[in-house]
Amino acid sequence: MNTVAEQQTWLDICALNDIPPNTGVCAQFNGQQVAIFHLSSSKLGNVSLVKAVSNLDPFSDANVLSRGLISENDDIYYVASPLLKQLFNLDTGLCATDENVSIATYHVRVSDGLVQLRRS
Amino acid sequence: MSKQKIVVVGNGMVGHHFIDQLAKDFSDDYQIVTFAEESRLAYDRVMLTSYYTGNSADDLALTTPDAYDAQGIEYHINEKITSLDRHNKTVTSASGKTITYDKLVLATGSFPFVPPVPGKDQPNIHVYRTLEDLDQIADSAKTSKIGVVIGGGLLGLEAANALKQLGLETHVVEFAPRLMAVQLDDGGGALLRSKISELGVTVHTEKNTKEIVAGETCRYRMNFADGSFLETDTIVFSAGIRPQDHLARTGDLTLGERGGISIDDHCLTNDHDIYAIGECALWDNKIFGLIAPGYAMAKAAVSHLTERRAFKGKEVDFKGADMSTKLKLLGVEVASIGDAHGNTPDAQVYSFIDSSAGIYKKIVVSSDSKFLLGAVLVGDSSDYGQWLQLVLNKIELSQAPECLLLPEMDGEASAGGGIDALPPSAQICSCLDVSKQDICDAVDGGAQDIATLKSCTGAGTGCGGCVPLLTQVLNAQLCQLGVSVDNSLCRHFSHSRQELFDIIRVKEIRNFDALLSECGTGDGCEICKPAAANMFASLWNDHVLATELVGLQDTNDNFHANMQKDGTYSIVPRIPGGEITPDHLILIGEIAKEYNLYTKITGGQRIDLFGAQLHELPIIWKKMVDAGLETGHAYGKSLRTVKSCVGTNWCRFGVQDSTSMAILIEKRYRGVRSPHKVKMAVSGCARECAEAQSKDFGIIATDKGWNLYVAGNGGMRPRHADLFASDIDDATLLRYIDIIFMFYVRTADRLQRTSVWMENLEGGLDYLKDVVINDKLKINDQLLDQMQHLIDTYQCEWKTTINDPQRLKRFNHFINSKQLDDNVIFTDVRGQISPANKVSNAVEIAHAVN
Ligand code: SRM
Ligand SMILES: Cc1cc2nc3c(=O)[nH]c(=O)nc-3n(C[C@H](O)[C@H](O)[C@H](O)COP(=O)(O)OP(=O)(O)OC[C@H]3O[C@@H](n4cnc5c(N)ncnc54)[C@H](O)[C@@H]3O)c2cc1C
Ligand code: SF4
Ligand code: FES
């Protein structure tokens, strides 16, 4: 059960069904652009995982990361920028190809089939 | 001790090779001076004809003045040596320069023989030996319609090819009853003649030219001894070569009865301070008119001169040379090996004729059937390398001789026994004298690809004929070393793309999870996911946004548009063959205006609209689709454009309807996903306004049909396409493209254009022809079926997508808001939009923040 307090903390973004498995979407959140990815595969036991990072590709200064490909290496999941293919760790926001660069990450979860971002 | 002074007269291929070999390790010991009668230093005479097909004089050059300067070699060009004074050890040039020598090297080559036919000394009558000759022939061609080559030998046919390329109606006049009398027998000569006639070159045999007089319909008339005549504007004599021994005569050196400077095994003349090498030299009463023996002589002379210090002390005396040759004349493969005429006593002869495919093969074997002595090949010389080795190394045949002649059955090795049967001493590259052992050593030493092998052993850098064999030795040796070339697709799949393709095809795998569980590990990455999506599409052709596939697509496929640097997209409707109605043109203009898109004509004969935002794509595409326009797949690894010219419809030169053919082809192959993008073009005549020879598939109209070219490339590393087939009809053209296209789809690497694929294809163009034309692998029906499946299941991806509300949900910048991306900003450039975000600063900003 979602308590009232919880409802204030977590903001509904969209239905999980709105994000086809293994793709991303971009959410408008507190005036920021957040890329949310829906991971699902037999390796992950066919459960749905969601991850959220900033949508801004720092290398190109374009809001495009939600449209990148999801890439796995040694059980870590990354998004590859659709522009110049740099990889960003979906849990830490660190860029795997340039250690000086990182992007923001966000708390995200699925609740009752809804994808939610945490406000604080 | 002062340096010995070596004077080299003649800076042709062999003279230069001598200098190169000597200067390499001994430039401190010798002062080298060379005289060249021609206006430039040595160039590749073997490739002379390619001067008409794209190679410039610089491309053909074997050295440069700078390189000679750097090596301290003194050179005099345009400076013919006219006399030799052996007593005082000097030579004198036409301009009066006299120079002394310690050792003299004569590398004066040969000159074309012109029979004393009355009328031979008129303008527009040429020989075929130097770059200057070729310039002059090209000049004559400008004012000529018809050209005749006198002489149907190897060089004559090459000259005929050149005349044909210059656009002349070409004839070959031969004194003997058959073409290439020296190399071929009657059967081979007859087949060569019929093939060459098919290409539009008229062959006249048993014609003895009596005189050349003024013509009636052309510049000249050639009267033949039998009373017949031929009218022509240009004549090229190619009636054989004669050793250039004039200088030797002035110095009173020993010559052969019919010319040529006599030499011994060290290439010494009767004066032991004078060597003669190359085509001017006579060894055992024989002249060797090929480059490999010339290079071998140069080595022998260097070895002797340096008192065997060169070549690691290896004995490299000249002991004669094999005169086997492999050529391509007017596109026809011809080869002769060893005792081609069966002159060995009791030799047995077998032959094989496939007149439909135009193949003739003859072998000469020893009386006990154990050894191959010689062979003639016309139409298909793919056996040349293997057979030559059997002859040169006297390898005992492992099966009955007739097995050599039968077309290879799948899986069975031919009687040759493969590359492993060759002894280490086997000479693989005859031009540069490189043995199998030399190559294996180099591979062991780390030269593990063809390019490196070429540069460190020299093998394959002469006539190039040995490259297929070289490749086989390389691969066999890599195998020996246990080096398995790692062609894993990525860390998730240890298979090559080709292997994965076969797995997907045979096991009918249709999604990524199934593929991973069949043969992969982990969860896939940005390399294997799009590659898998691409292979699924090439085989099953489901919509790229199908639920199971959408997560595999690169962003461009994912949104059916090319993402630009600011996250906006471009829109490219298909404009088949570049032909567009005014209504469509107006519609595109109106859309561009309404959505404020940057408009540009692309390099591929169509129109690109830039700056559309995600949410606008479906709206714009709906308008396009409603008006009958389709997606142009500018985003896909698939057919891009088929460029066309106006052809017979409008152009006064056109010989076929190139526009209609281009449209037909573009519609046939639109949407077919392939390892990389594929471009095609159709030109209406040889003027080639559609630039077909730079495309993956290029089609050029002829008056009999179409010439098909394959594996051309513009882009990063341009490559001229190879002529695959000539004068084929519409149906054959489509059939060949179907098969080649699907064979490429099946066997190429990920993101490998047809050009690179072709260069890596073992056996190259000849092999591809064998696969496509002779169905060597017996898979043509399968490939044709696959292509037909793709053609039948084509859909305009945009049309399907705009009709599917579920899929359209993703075409919004935000999933939870109708707002737009405020970081998409444009400025105005020449009256149109242009992205204005701060891309160039972006990285610096990111660094500063951290
Ligand atoms: C729009 C256009 C340039 C123009 O303003 O005219 C263009 C634009 C792009 N080219 Fe191109 N190429 C365009 C004609 C060409 C041509 C000329 C031609 O096709 O006649 C070539 C050389 C011919 C060839 O491919 O052999 C060409 C060689 C390349 C290459 C190098 C390919 C190679 O094998 O060397 C790339 C890079 C790649 O594909 O890996 C490339 C890649 C690209 C990409 C896809 C780069 C990218 O990923 O963003 C550009 C995106 C186009 C877009 O957003 O719509 N483009 N590109 C031309 C579109 C033609 C069309 O109508 O489809
Ligand atoms: C069109 C063509 C195609 C060929 N194709 C093949 C092939 O496929 N395979 C193959 O093995 N061979 C081929 N050959 C033959 C090959 O080119 C020759 O065997 C090779 O060039 C011989 O080299 P060389 O140095 O002896 O003579 P050249 O290359 O003729 O060099 C001799 C040089 O000496 C110069 N010279 C002569 N006299 C003097 C003088 N008195 N003073 C100063 N300079 C002088 C000449 O001007 C010339 O530049 C071909 C030849 C031609 C013309
Ligand atoms: S290629 Fe030939 S037919 Fe086509 S436009 Fe050019 S000249 Fe005319
Ligand atoms: S045989 Fe001519 S390059 Fe090797």
Side-chain angles (χ1 to χ4, degrees):
Chain A
M1 269 313 274
N2 284 346
T3 62
V4 176
E6 266 203 317
Q7 278 173 17
Q8 284 169 350
T9 333
W10 291 92
L11 181 73
D12 295 345
I13 301 296
C14 62
L16 181 65
N17 283 344
D18 291 340
I19 318 180
N22 302 309
T23 68
V25 295
C26 172
Q28 165 93 290
F29 177 69
N30 286 347
Q32 298 163 48
Q33 297 198 14
V34 178
I36 305 177
F37 297 92
H38 174 179
L39 278 53
S40 170
S41 67
S42 44
K43 181 177 162 67
L44 295 170
N46 290 319
V47 294
S48 287
L49 283 183
V50 284
K51 312 248 177 206
V53 295
S54 161
N55 192 39
L56 185 76
D57 174 352
F59 292 95
S60 301
D61 188 34
N63 286 310
V64 294
L65 290 185
S66 60
R67 289 173 250 160
L69 260 174
I70 299 167
S71 174
E72 178 268 352
N73 187 16
D74 281 342
D75 297 331
I76 300 173
Y77 286 80
Y78 301 85
V79 60
S81 164
L83 282 169
L84 302 172
K85 309 287 180 228
Q86 294 91 349
L87 296 172
F88 298 92
N89 185 319
L90 288 179
D91 292 309
T92 63
L94 287 172
C95 175
T97 38
D98 184 341
E99 56 185 25
N100 294 318
V101 180
S102 68
I103 55 175
T105 58
Y106 296 82
H107 293 286
V108 61
R109 70 174 190 186
V110 182
S111 173
D112 286 343
L114 288 180
V115 177
Q116 302 176 321
L117 285 168
R118 198 170 80 189
R119 287 186 204 269
S120 60
Chain B
M1 202 186 89
S2 71
K3 288 187 183 181
Q4 252 197 1
K5 185 163 171 191
I6 314 294
V7 174
V8 182
V9 182
N11 197 262
M13 297 186 73
V14 176
H16 166 69
H17 194 72
F18 172 89
I19 293 172
D20 198 41
Q21 298 287 321
L22 186 64
K24 210 162 56 181
D25 296 315
F26 300 96
S27 53
D28 293 341
D29 304 346
Y30 302 100
Q31 179 196 351
I32 304 172
V33 184
T34 182
F35 286 86
E37 178 186 1
E38 290 187 62
S39 60
R40 43 173 71 80
L41 292 176
Y43 54 89
D44 193 345
R45 207 177 300 286
V46 173
M47 299 293 291
L48 195 63
T49 307
S50 70
Y51 186 53
Y52 286 149
T53 53
N55 273 333
S56 67
D58 284 348
D59 293 335
L60 292 176
L62 297 174
T63 184
T64 58
D66 286 348
Y68 269 15
D69 285 339
Q71 288 170 292
I73 296 158
E74 180 182 329
Y75 55 89
H76 304 268
I77 53 173
N78 277 321
E79 194 83 57
K80 181 177 180 171
I81 297 292
T82 47
S83 65
L84 160 62
D85 178 350
R86 286 166 51 197
H87 182 69
N88 291 313
K89 291 180 80 169
T90 60
V91 289
T92 305
S93 76
S95 68
K97 256 183 219 152
T98 294
I99 182 170
T100 58
Y101 63 81
D102 293 315
K103 300 280 176 189
L104 182 68
V105 179
L106 300 176
T108 46
S110 52
F111 63 90
F113 168 66
V114 178
V117 179
K120 68 181 169 57
D121 295 317
Q122 302 181 66
N124 303 300
I125 299 183
H126 309 276
V127 294
Y128 199 78
R129 178 89 197 167
T130 64
L131 283 171
E132 270 89 28
D133 293 334
L134 266 67
D135 283 335
Q136 287 168 13
I137 293 170
D139 270 349
S140 292
K142 286 184 196 141
T143 56
S144 300
K145 272 183 68 176
I146 302 183
V148 170
V149 175
I150 302 184
L154 194 153
L155 289 182
L157 294 180
E158 196 156 328
N161 189 23
L163 290 187
K164 198 160 174 271
Q165 272 159 4
L166 290 170
L168 301 192
E169 177 192 322
T170 307
H171 298 255
V172 171
V173 172
E174 167 60 47
F175 182 71
R178 65 166 184 264
L179 293 173
M180 285 186 68
V182 184
Q183 288 86 1
L184 298 184
D185 61 0
D186 282 338
L191 182 66
L192 180 64
R193 176 183 185 145
S194 80
K195 291 200 112 179
I196 285 179
S197 307
E198 271 171 36
L199 296 173
V201 172
T202 316
V203 178
H204 312 261
T205 48
E206 294 181 273
K207 294 284 179 206
N208 180 7
T209 311
K210 210 175 63 187
E211 57 181 1
I212 302 167
V213 297
E216 277 172 21
T217 56
C218 292
R219 202 175 280 141
Y220 297 121
R221 169 177 292 193
M222 302 167 56
N223 284 321
F224 301 124
D226 64 3
S228 58
F229 67 86
L230 183 62
E231 296 252 324
T232 180
D233 301 303
T234 295
I235 298 174
V236 177
F237 273 102
S238 180
I241 53 169
R242 296 288 181 271
Q244 180 54 277
D245 53 16
H246 181 75
L247 184 60
R249 281 174 205 275
T250 70
D252 217 13
L253 290 172
T254 305
L255 303 175
E257 260 170 47
R258 296 192 358 254
I261 311 167
S262 299
I263 55 167
D264 63 11
D265 294 359
H266 309 310
C267 299
L268 278 177
T269 64
N270 59 311
D271 180 328
H272 281 196
D273 291 320
I274 304 182
Y275 298 86
I277 54 177
E279 284 188 346
C280 63
L282 185 76
W283 181 89
D284 191 22
N285 254 320
K286 288 192 285 264
I287 292 282
F288 297 86
L290 292 175
I291 191 59
Y295 280 1
M297 289 182 195
K299 280 180 92 168
V302 168
S303 166
H304 185 264
L305 175 70
T306 59
E307 291 160 351
R308 302 264 186 248
R309 283 176 296 147
F311 313 115
K312 302 183 187 126
K314 218 164 77 176
E315 188 181 309
V316 287
D317 289 345
F318 185 73
K319 290 278 171 52
D322 179 70
M323 293 297 281
S324 303
T325 27
K326 172 181 158 184
L327 302 146
K328 192 177 238 170
L329 295 167
L330 289 141
V332 183
E333 295 179 3
V334 179
S336 114
I337 301 173
D339 178 11
H341 295 285
N343 294 332
T344 314
D346 296 329
Q348 308 181 48
V349 173
Y350 299 78
S351 60
F352 167 86
I353 303 179
D354 179 346
S355 38
S356 67
I359 295 174
Y360 172 87
K361 299 182 180 186
K362 179 180 97 171
I363 54 172
V364 177
V365 293
S366 59
S367 55
D368 58 4
S369 296
K370 283 194 175 140
F371 298 97
L372 184 66
L373 303 174
V376 174
L377 295 163
V378 177
D380 171 9
S381 61
S382 49
D383 294 319
Y384 177 80
Q386 202 77 32
W387 291 6
L388 179 63
Q389 296 298 330
L390 292 177
V391 173
L392 295 181
N393 298 296
K394 302 199 177 57
I395 295 171
E396 200 173 319
L397 301 178
S398 59
Q399 292 173 42
E402 57 269 28
C403 296
L404 284 176
L405 288 176
L406 298 176
E408 213 175 294
M409 299 302 160
D410 258 351
E412 282 175 44
S414 68
I419 201 79
D420 292 334
L422 294 182
S425 60
Q427 191 190 44
I428 300 297
C429 174
S430 51
C431 288
L432 280 297
D433 184 21
V434 185
S435 68
K436 183 180 169 194
Q437 187 66 54
D438 297 335
I439 294 165
C440 293
D441 290 348
V443 176
D444 295 351
Q448 304 196 335
D449 58 66
I450 289 292
T452 323
L453 265 184
K454 275 187 175 175
S455 70
C456 78
T457 64
T461 58
C463 70
C466 60
V467 175
L469 208 56
L470 188 64
T471 314
Q472 287 183 39
V473 177
L474 167 67
N475 291 343
Q477 190 61 13
L478 284 176
C479 242
Q480 284 269 308
L481 292 177
V483 179
S484 59
V485 191
D486 181 23
N487 44 21
S488 313
L489 187 67
C490 68
R491 57 186 182 265
H492 299 103
F493 293 94
S494 58
H495 299 81
S496 67
R497 179 189 178 276
Q498 183 175 353
E499 289 161 348
L500 281 175
F501 192 91
D502 286 335
I503 295 171
I504 297 173
R505 179 172 61 85
V506 175
K507 306 224 158 164
E508 296 194 26
I509 296 174
R510 283 172 173 268
N511 65 59
F512 195 62
D513 249 355
L515 184 64
L516 273 174
S517 62
E518 178 68 38
C519 57
T521 57
D523 231 355
C525 63
E526 76 284 3
I527 293 167
C528 56
K529 282 180 176 180
N534 176 268
M535 290 186 276
F536 295 145
S538 292
L539 279 166
W540 322 123
N541 219 12
D542 295 326
H543 193 274
V544 291
L545 299 188
T547 318
E548 286 179 319
L549 302 176
V550 59
L552 307 175
Q553 310 293 350
D554 252 329
T555 199
N556 288 357
D557 273 311
N558 218 323
F559 296 96
H560 307 334
N562 296 52
M563 183 185 275
Q564 305 301 315
K565 60 181 190 174
D566 59 351
T568 65
Y569 288 91
S570 69
I571 293 182
V572 189
R574 188 167 295 291
I575 300 181
E579 184 183 276
I580 185 163
T581 61
D583 280 342
H584 276 159
L585 208 50
I586 289 166
L587 174 90
I588 292 174
E590 279 173 346
I591 289 177
K593 243 171 144 173
E594 183 175 350
Y595 294 90
N596 192 21
L597 303 172
Y598 169 77
T599 310
K600 183 174 186 299
I601 308 288
T602 73
Q605 283 190 346
R606 50 188 184 174
I607 301 169
D608 204 341
L609 307 177
F610 293 82
Q613 300 187 48
L614 202 50
H615 69 281
E616 293 173 324
L617 291 176
I619 315 169
I620 294 173
W621 271 106
K622 180 153 187 354
K623 294 195 178 191
M624 296 264 185
V625 168
D626 286 348
L629 288 166
E630 294 186 327
T631 176
H633 287 99
Y635 47 82
K637 299 293 173 235
S638 56
L639 178 74
R640 291 289 162 86
T641 64
V642 182
K643 207 170 157 176
S644 77
C645 75
V646 285
T648 36
N649 287 340
W650 293 92
C651 176
R652 65 199 161 121
F653 292 122
V655 291
Q656 302 284 352
D657 183 355
S658 46
T659 319
S660 300
M661 182 51 85
I663 294 170
L664 183 112
I665 288 181
E666 184 155 350
K667 291 195 166 159
R668 185 176 181 82
Y669 301 113
R670 64 191 164 177
V672 170
R673 289 290 198 293
S674 41
H676 205 319
K677 59 191 172 193
V678 168
K679 300 181 177 184
M680 308 193 187
V682 187
S683 282
C685 83
R687 286 170 192 74
E688 249 280 72
C689 298
E691 301 173 306
Q693 288 168 95
S694 67
K695 303 295 181 208
D696 299 271
F697 293 85
I699 296 136
I700 303 178
T702 70
D703 43 14
K704 296 194 201 60
W706 308 97
N707 283 353
L708 172 62
Y709 291 79
V710 294
N713 206 162
M716 307 178 240
R717 199 165 60 87
R719 179 181 194 272
H720 266 274
D722 298 314
L723 178 60
F724 182 84
S726 311
D727 294 327
I728 50 179
D729 59 20
D730 293 8
T732 312
L733 177 69
L734 296 181
R735 184 185 155 83
Y736 283 176
I737 302 178
D738 278 6
I739 300 174
I740 302 170
F741 200 154
M742 279 320 292
F743 190 53
Y744 161 65
V745 164
R746 209 186 249 206
T747 59
D749 245 333
R750 159 184 172 269
L751 298 186
Q752 187 176 49
R753 288 289 289 268
T754 56
S755 55
V756 183
W757 170 70
M758 177 69 105
E759 279 162 12
N760 288 306
L761 193 66
E762 214 169 290
L765 182 66
D766 291 339
Y767 174 70
L768 186 64
K769 283 186 185 170
D770 220 11
V771 170
V772 177
I773 301 172
N774 307 327
D775 200 5
K776 182 188 172 85
L777 304 176
K778 304 272 176 291
I779 54 169
N780 286 0
D781 286 343
Q782 228 181 60
L783 297 176
L784 287 164
D785 281 353
Q786 260 170 33
M787 182 55 88
Q788 196 57 47
H789 169 71
L790 297 180
I791 294 166
D792 293 343
T793 51
Y794 165 79
Q795 54 184 314
C796 168
E797 280 154 4
W798 264 116
K799 189 171 180 177
T800 310
T801 300
I802 52 180
N803 289 318
D804 182 339
Q806 191 59 32
R807 284 178 196 167
L808 287 181
K809 279 198 183 161
R810 299 171 60 246
F811 288 85
N812 268 313
H813 190 76
F814 293 112
I815 190 78
N816 57 345
S817 148
K818 290 269 166 265
Q819 282 187 25
L820 302 181
D821 181 3
D822 56 13
N823 196 30
V824 171
I825 321 157
F826 299 115
T827 58
D828 177 295
V829 173
R830 291 181 294 276
Q832 298 202 69
I833 59 162
S834 175
N837 67 350
K838 314 173 281 302
V839 180
S840 50
N841 301 333
V843 179
E844 282 165 44
I845 293 169
H847 282 264
V849 166
N850 274 272

